Amino acid sequence: YQAGDSTAQIDWRQSARSTQLFLRDQEWEAAETVWLWADASGSMAYSSTPRVPTKQDRALLLLLALASLLTRAGERIALLGDRRRPTGGRAAVANICERLGANPTAASSAVPIQQLPRHARLVLISDFFIPLQELRERLRGFVAMGIRGHLLQVLDPAEPSLPFAGRVRFEGMENDGATLIGNVDSVRLRYRDRIEAHRLGLRDLARSLGWTLASHVTDHPPEPPLLALYNALSTKAQG
């Protein structure tokens, strides 16, 4: 038993044999848990202009707002990769804030691998600028557990369009060097084609797994993707 758990779930017979309180862990109860993850790797710290937040700031805002909505609806939540059991109530959101504050960045953009309760739900927020085959292998592991998942791709407004001009030096944000392009106009069409191909590949991957995919650009309001995620999570699986 942890702060925020419902006292109605306490297994009094089991607890009477110990100095601790234990909860009944039934499969239908496990299905009411939502696991959350926001990419905190170097690429998420990007913002093309001071007028828009970084991708990481927006991802964390969406994660915490979603956590608050879910706990108000009686759901239990946990951070993917944190290894602590899901909890509910205001304490759950406060705990997530504390853990995110203690670990604001991550070395890798790879989705953590973790064994989750069967039929739980998972929300992943990232720019997903990683090889699709790598992402596919990690997500298939969750599908094998019976997990229903939702992907939210967060992008800076400059990333889909490459609006720069002339001679530009681009620096990697994850120790991957720098590139000097003498004329950005000459590569813009090829760049946009690759970005679009990646987007379509991500869409097809989500569909093949039976997961949902939404996208959000940081110069747009955060409310629409937040409500879309919440509505998707509020839809119970059929059958």
Side-chain angles (χ1 to χ4, degrees):
Y1 176 84
Q2 297 182 5
D5 289 329
S6 171
T7 56
Q9 296 175 310
I10 295 177
D11 187 334
W12 294 107
R13 180 175 299 179
Q14 178 68 21
S15 300
R17 305 191 186 107
S18 173
T19 58
Q20 295 180 317
L21 293 177
F22 293 90
L23 301 181
R24 294 186 302 274
D25 189 16
Q26 299 174 352
E27 184 172 353
W28 71 269
E29 291 171 334
E32 300 306 313
T33 61
V34 181
W35 302 75
L36 307 170
W37 178 77
D39 187 351
S41 61
S43 70
M44 294 294 289
Y46 177 65
S47 171
S48 60
T49 170
R51 294 192 301 272
V52 300
T54 65
K55 294 184 289 182
Q56 183 177 8
D57 285 346
R58 181 55 57 85
L60 293 177
L61 172 66
L62 289 166
L63 184 148
L64 291 171
L66 180 61
S68 180
L69 289 175
L70 290 171
T71 54
R72 290 181 185 181
E75 302 279 13
R76 293 184 295 167
I77 59 175
L79 285 177
L80 184 69
D82 188 62
R83 303 290 177 179
R84 302 185 190 185
R85 64 187 307 274
T87 56
R90 294 182 179 178
V93 181
N95 288 338
I96 284 181
C97 287
E98 180 180 350
R99 294 168 209 166
L100 291 174
N103 300 284
T105 60
S108 172
S109 58
V111 178
I113 299 175
Q114 182 177 346
Q115 185 70 35
L116 301 182
R118 186 166 181 82
H119 302 310
R121 288 162 291 169
L122 178 61
V123 174
L124 305 177
I125 306 175
S126 172
D127 56 17
F128 295 111
F129 284 153
I130 59 176
L132 292 178
Q133 183 59 36
E134 177 184 332
L135 180 61
R136 179 181 290 107
E137 293 304 316
R138 288 186 177 258
L139 298 189
R140 279 177 175 173
F142 291 114
V143 172
M145 301 176 202
I147 306 301
R148 289 175 287 150
H150 307 275
L151 308 179
L152 176 60
Q153 185 181 38
V154 175
L155 300 176
D156 180 88
E159 290 174 327
S161 60
L162 195 67
F164 311 106
R167 183 183 176 92
V168 180
R169 178 184 175 87
F170 295 91
E171 295 187 3
M173 303 187 69
E174 297 186 14
N175 299 318
D176 44 6
T179 299
L180 178 63
I181 298 180
N183 183 6
V184 174
D185 293 335
S186 66
V187 302
R188 182 174 292 110
L189 290 180
R190 283 178 290 166
Y191 170 86
R192 290 178 177 177
D193 287 344
R194 293 193 63 177
I195 285 288
E196 179 65 8
H198 188 81
R199 184 191 69 81
L200 294 176
L202 188 61
R203 181 201 65 183
D204 293 342
L205 172 58
R207 286 179 177 176
S208 69
L209 301 176
W211 289 25
T212 68
L213 169 68
S215 62
H216 171 63
V217 182
T218 55
D219 62 346
H220 286 59
E223 290 85 358
L226 173 63
L227 293 177
L229 270 179
Y230 181 72
N231 288 335
L233 289 164
S234 300
T235 302
K236 304 300 182 182
Q238 302 296 320

